[in-house]
C-alpha cells in the first residue's frame, strides 16, 4: 500500500483528538469536556480525573512513559519538564498513574525564564494550567499537554494566555456586531494559516562556522558569483535529498495533526517553504511551534541543519512567516469573505473597516509584534515588506471605498476570463485585483496576509495585537450602532466616516520605492527602522489602555514584556559581536597570516631569481593592509562591547544599535574582501558558495 493511501490513517495518529475522545471517554464526560472546549467554562475536577485516566491509557498505548506540561515562556520557544507515569506499589513495584490534578496543574520552576522584572530570581514558583482547547499529543515517548504558564501571583509569563484572552475579546465583540445583522452566533474564531520559510544547509558546513552555531546567521561572507538573480530556484525541481526531508517532515507533522499542505522551493538558494491549512489561531500557534521543532529534528536525520533565522545570509532573501489572518463564525461563515458583490455586502464592509481602523490606529503595535534583531536585517529588502506598516486592499475594494467616501454610486466590475490564445488550454477566470508582495498587511481575497513576521517568531505575539486591536474597533462600532434609530443609515455614516479618517494606512503601490518613505511620512505613518526604536512604544499610554480594556495584559505585564524584548535584543547583538571577535582572532587573522607567510616565501624566491615585479608582491601588500585593517576594526569592536554602560535595557538597546552594530558592520567589510583574496584552502570556514550550492 502506498504512503498516500495511508495518510488519513496516519493523520492525527499521535493526537488525543475528537475521535480518540469519543472512543475512550464516557458520553457524559465527553459532552462536558466539549462544552469546556467550546465555551471556555471551567472544567469539573471529576471530569478531569476521568479524562486524565483515558489520556494516560491512550498515551501508554502509543509508547509513552512520561508526561509533560508543554508551555511557551517569553523565550519565544517552548519549554517542557517530563515526569514519568510511575507510582510505587507496596510490594516494591510500580504502577502507571496519572491524576486529574496532574493533568490540570503543574509547578515548573519559574525563576530562570525571562519575566521582564515580574519575578525576582529567588521567587521560583510558577504554575502551568491545562489548555483543553488544544489537543494533547505523544512525541518522543512523552504525553505533551499544552498549557498556559503563570507566576505564583497569577501574572502571565507566557505567550499562550494573552493569545487566548485576545481570542475571547474579538469573539465577544464580533458576536455583538453580528447580532446587529440578525445573526445569533455563539463564537467567532480568529483563524490563521502561517506559511513557514526556512533554509536547509549541510550539517558539516554548519559545524565549521561559529557564527551559525552561536547566532543562527552568517556574520561574514562574500557574495558568491551567483545568488538568486536568475530566479531559477523558486518553485524549481526539488532535489532528491531535500524531497526526502520534506516527505518525512510531512509524515511527522501529519502524525501530530498538523495540516501541512504545501511545500516548494523558495527564491533564495537552499530556501524552502511549508504552508499549512488554516485553523484557530491558538492551535495554529501551537502547531507552528511544533513545526519549527520538528523541522530541526528531521533535518538532522537527513544530515541537514534547518536555519530559521530571519536573515542567515546577506544579499539574498531572508525567511519570513506569512500570517494569513481571518475571522470565522461557529456556523462556518468567513467574515472577511466579500462575496460576489462586495459593494452590497454591508457586513463585510463593516468588518473590513474595523481592520483598516485597527491597523491605522495601532500600526506601532503591529511593528512591535515582529520586532527582533534578526528581523531588522530582513525588513525592507529581498521581497520582505518594509518597516512602515501599511495595507493593500486592491483596486476593486479601493474603488468601493472611494465610492462610499464620496457618496457616489459604485459600478460593479464585470467578471472576465483570460484567453491564453491556445485552444487546448481553458479560459481562466480573472481576479478583479492583483496581489502586492511588498505590502506588510495585504488583503488576499478572504483574509489578510501579515507579511512582516520573521521566520523564527512565535506567531502568538502578532496575533494578540491584531485580535485585540480589531476587537477594540468592533466594540466601538457596536456601542455606536446598538443605539441607532436607523441602523442602515448609521452603518453607512460610520463606514464613510472611518474610511475617510483612516484611509492614510491604505497603500496599493510599491513598498520598496524610495518615494513611499517620503509619502508615508507626509501621511503621518510610523517608520520604526529598528527594534531599538520600536519597542519603547509598546507601553505608550494608548496601548496600555487598549489591552487593559479587553483584559489581555495589565500594565505590569506589558512593561515586563517590553523589558524582556529589549533585553533579548541587546543580548543578541552582544553575542553576535563576541562571536565576530572570536572568529577574527582565532580563525580569519591566523588564516590570513598563514597565507601571507606562503606568499612571502614566493616573493622572496622570485627576488632571489631576479624577478621583482610579480603580482604576488602586490597581492601580499593588499592582504597585509586588509588584515591590519581587520585587526584594528576588531579592536574597536571589542572596545565598544567593553564600554557598554551599566544601564537600563532601553539605554543598552540604543547603545548596541547605535555603537556596537555599526562597529560589527565595519569589521565585516575587510573580512569579506579578504575572503576573495586568500587562497581557498587557507580560508578557515565554508563560504557562501560552499554552503548555498551543495550537491
Amino acid at each position: 500500500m502506498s504512503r498516500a493511501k495511508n495518510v488519513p490513517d496516519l493523520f492525527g495518529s499521535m493526537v488525543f483528538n475528537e475521535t480518540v475522545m469519543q472512543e475512550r471517554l464516557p458520553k457524559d464526560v465527553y459532552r462536558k469536556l466539549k462544552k469546556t472546549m467550546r465555551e471556555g467554562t471551567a472544567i469539573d475536577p471529576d471530569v478531569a480525573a476521568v479524562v486524565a485516566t483515558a489520556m494516560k491509557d491512550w498515551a501508554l498505548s502509543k509508547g509513552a512513559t512520561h508526561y509533560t506540561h508543554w508551555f511557551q515562556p517569553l523565550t519565544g520557544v517552548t519549554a517542557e519538564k517530563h515526569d514519568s507515569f510511575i507510582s510505587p506499589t507496596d510490594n516494591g513495584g510500580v504502577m502507571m498513574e496519572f491524576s486529574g490534578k496532574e493533568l490540570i496543574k503543574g509547578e515548573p520552576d519559574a525563576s530562570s525564564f525571562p519575566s521582564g522584572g515580574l519575578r525576582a530570581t529567588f521567587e521560583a514558583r510558577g504554575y502551568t494550567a491545562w489548555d483543553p482547547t488544544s489537543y494533547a499529543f505523544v512525541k518522543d515517548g512523552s504525553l505533551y499537554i499544552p498549557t498556559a504558564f503563570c507566576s505564583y501571583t497569577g501574572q502571565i509569563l507566557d505567550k499562550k494566555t494573552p493569545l487566548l484572552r485576545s481570542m475571547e475579546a474579538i469573539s465577544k465583540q464580533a458576536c455583538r456586531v453580528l447580532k446587529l445583522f440578525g445573526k445569533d452566533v455563539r463564537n467567532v474564531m480568529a483563524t490563521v494559516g502561517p506559511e513557514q520559510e526556512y533554509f536547509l544547509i549541510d550539517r558539516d558546513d554548519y559545524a565549521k562556522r561559529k557564527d551559525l552555531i552561536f547566532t543562527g546567521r552568517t556574520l561574514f561572507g562574500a557574495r558568491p558569483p551567483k545568488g538568486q538573480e536568475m530566479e531559477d530556484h523558486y518553485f524549481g525541481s526539488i532535489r532528491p535529498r531535500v524531497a526526502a526531508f520534506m516527505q518525512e517532515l510531512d509524515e511527522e507533522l501529519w502524525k501530530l495533526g498538523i495540516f501541512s499542505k504545501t511545500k516548494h522551493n523558495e527564491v533564495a538558494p537552499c530556501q524552502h517553504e511549508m504552508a499549512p491549512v488554516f485553523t484557530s489561531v491558538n492551535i495554529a500557534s501551537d502547531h507552528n511551534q511544533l513545526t519549527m521543532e520538528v523541522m530541526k529534528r528531521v533535518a538532522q536525520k537527513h544530515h541537514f541543519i534547518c536555519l530559521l533565522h530571519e536573515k542567515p545570509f546577506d544579499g539574498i532573501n531572508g525567511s519570513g512567516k506569512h500570517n494569513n489572518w481571518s475571522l470565522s463564525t461557529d456556523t462556518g461563515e468567513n467574515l472577511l469573505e466579500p462575496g460576489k458583490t462586495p459593494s452590497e455586502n454591508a457586513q463585510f464592509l463593516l468588518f473590513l473597516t474595523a481592520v483598516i481602523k485597527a491597523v491605522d490606529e495601532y500600526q506601532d503595535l503591529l511593528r512591535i509584534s515582529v520586532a527582533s534583531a534578526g528581523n531588522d536585517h530582513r525588513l525592507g529588502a529581498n521581497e520582505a515588506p518594509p518597516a512602515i506598516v501599511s495595507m493593500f486592499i486592491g483596486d476593486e475594494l479601493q474603488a468601493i471605498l472611494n465610492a462610499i467616501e464620496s457618496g457616489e454610486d459604485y459600478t460593479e466590475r464585470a467578471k472576465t476570463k483570460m484567453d491564453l490564445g491556445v485552444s487546448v488550454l481553458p479560459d481562466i477566470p480573472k481576479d478583479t485585483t492583483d496581489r502586492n508582495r511588498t505590502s506588510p498587511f495585504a488583503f488576499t481575497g478572504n483574509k489578510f496576509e501579515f507579511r512582516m513576521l520573521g521566520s523564527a517568531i512565535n506567531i502568538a505575539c502578532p496575533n494578540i495585537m491584531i485580535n485585540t486591536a480589531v476587537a477594540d474597533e468592533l466594540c466601538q462600532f457596536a456601542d455606536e450602532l446598538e443605539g441607532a434609530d436607523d441602523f442602515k443609515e448609521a452603518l453607512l455614516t460610520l463606514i464613510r466616516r472611518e474610511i475617510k479618517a483612516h484611509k492614510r494606512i491604505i497603500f496599493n503601490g510599491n513598498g520598496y520605492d524610495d518615494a513611499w518613505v517620503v509619502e508615508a511620512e507626509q501621511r503621518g505613518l510610523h517608520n520604526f527602522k529598528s527594534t531599538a526604536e520600536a519597542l519603547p512604544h509598546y507601553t505608550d499610554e494608548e496601548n496600555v489602555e487598549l489591552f487593559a480594556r479587553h483584559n489581555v495584559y495589565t500594565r505590569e505585564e506589558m512593561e515586563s514584556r517590553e523589558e524582556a524584548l529589549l533585553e533579548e535584543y541587546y543580548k543578541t547583538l552582544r553575542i553576535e559581536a563576541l562571536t565576530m571577535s572570536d572568529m577574527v582572532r582565532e580563525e580569519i587573522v591566523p588564516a590570513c597570516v598563514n597565507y601571507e607567510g606562503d606568499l612571502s616565501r614566493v616573493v622572496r624566491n622570485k627576488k632571489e631569481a631576479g624577478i621583482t615585479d610579480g603580482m604576488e608582491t602586490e597581492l601580499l601588500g593588499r592582504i597585509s593592509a586588509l588584515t591590519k585593517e581587520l585587526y584594528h576594526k576588531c579592536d574597536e569592536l571589542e572596545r565598544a562591547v567593553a564600554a557598554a554602560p551599566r544601564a537600563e535595557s532601553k539605554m543598552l538597546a540604543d547603545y548596541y544599535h547605535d555603537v556596537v552594530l555599526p562597529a560589527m558592520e565595519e569589521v565585516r567589510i575587510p573580512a569579506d574582501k579578504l575572503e576573495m583574496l586568500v587562497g581557498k584552502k587557507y580560508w578557515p570556514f565554508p563560504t557562501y558558495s560552499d554552503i548555498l550550492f551543495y550537491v
Side-chain angles (χ1 to χ4, degrees), residues 1 92 132 353 424 682:
M1 186 178 289
T353 302
V424 73
Y682 295 86

Side-chain angles (χ1 to χ4, degrees), residues 56 119 201 223 226 233 245 295 340 398 409 432 453 465 495 512 522 577 586 592 602 646 662:
K56 179 258 299 179
R119 301 282 287 156
I201 66 170
R223 296 189 182 184
K226 179 180 183 293
H233 191 256
F245 157 82
M295 279 179 169
K340 293 182 179 179
Q398 184 68 69
D409 292 334
T432 55
L453 286 68
M465 307 300 192
I495 293 175
Y512 289 163
Q522 292 171 345
E586 298 176 6
C592 294
V602 172
R646 293 181 178 272

Side-chain angles (χ1 to χ4, degrees), residues 88-266:
T89 60
D90 292 340
N91 62 1
V94 296
M95 61 188 299
M96 307 300 268
E97 289 187 332
F98 185 51
S99 69
K101 182 179 178 181
E102 289 169 320
L103 169 62
I104 290 173
K105 189 182 84 170
E107 292 192 25
D109 188 336
S111 63
S112 296
F113 291 107
S115 71
L118 277 180
R119 301 282 287 156
T121 302
F122 65 86
E123 296 174 318
R125 190 182 296 277
Y127 298 116
T128 49
W130 175 37
D131 171 17
T133 65
S134 185
Y135 299 133
F137 56 92
V138 168
K139 182 173 71 71
D140 301 328
S142 285
L143 170 66
Y144 281 69
I145 303 162
T147 58
F149 180 44
C150 67
S151 72
Y152 175 73
T153 58
Q155 292 168 309
I156 54 177
L157 297 173
D158 71 338
K159 296 178 182 289
K160 175 183 277 286
T161 307
L163 179 63
L164 292 171
R165 291 176 177 177
S166 75
M167 291 170 66
E168 288 186 3
I170 198 167
S171 178
K172 177 182 177 181
Q173 303 306 330
C175 287
R176 287 180 64 197
V177 170
L178 290 172
K179 190 174 182 179
L180 296 170
F181 288 90
K183 296 181 179 179
D184 185 16
V185 173
R186 290 185 299 180
N187 182 52
V188 172
M189 180 172 61
T191 61
V192 166
E195 303 168 35
Q196 178 70 55
E197 295 176 341
Y198 60 97
F199 280 83
L200 289 179
I201 66 170
D202 191 88
R203 198 165 71 190
D204 291 340
D205 290 336
Y206 172 86
K208 295 172 184 175
R209 292 201 57 134
K210 285 185 180 180
D211 48 3
L212 286 174
I213 293 171
F214 292 132
T215 75
R217 76 178 182 104
T218 53
L219 301 174
F220 300 102
R223 296 189 182 184
K226 179 180 183 293
Q228 65 186 50
E229 60 271 21
M230 299 302 291
E231 288 88 30
D232 53 343
H233 191 256
Y234 190 50
F235 281 18
S237 176
I238 300 171
R239 285 175 288 187
R241 185 177 165 195
V242 174
F245 157 82
M246 289 180 168
Q247 180 175 326
E248 184 170 354
L249 175 65
D250 275 342
E251 292 173 358
E252 292 301 312
L253 294 178
W254 290 337
K255 288 178 187 176
L256 295 170
I258 297 173
F259 300 98
S260 180
K261 176 73 172 178
T262 303
K263 56 187 179 183
H264 62 84
N265 288 346
E266 257 298 336

Side-chain angles (χ1 to χ4, degrees), residues 487-548:
F487 173 69
K488 290 184 178 180
E489 182 61 31
L491 177 64
L492 179 59
T493 299
L494 185 154
I495 293 175
R496 178 177 293 140
R497 181 190 72 226
E498 298 300 343
I499 291 302
K500 185 176 182 179
H502 300 287
K503 63 183 179 180
R504 66 172 184 170
I505 199 68
I506 299 172
F507 177 65
N508 295 327
N510 180 8
Y512 289 163
D513 194 329
D514 291 339
W516 167 233
V517 177
V518 177
E519 182 180 339
E521 184 177 4
Q522 292 171 345
R523 292 188 184 195
L525 303 183
H526 298 304
N527 184 8
F528 299 136
K529 298 178 182 178
S530 72
T531 295
E533 187 180 354
L535 284 179
H537 293 281
Y538 199 158
T539 51
D540 286 352
E541 195 60 32
E542 61 268 26
N543 295 335
V544 173
E545 292 174 357
L546 166 72
F547 288 111

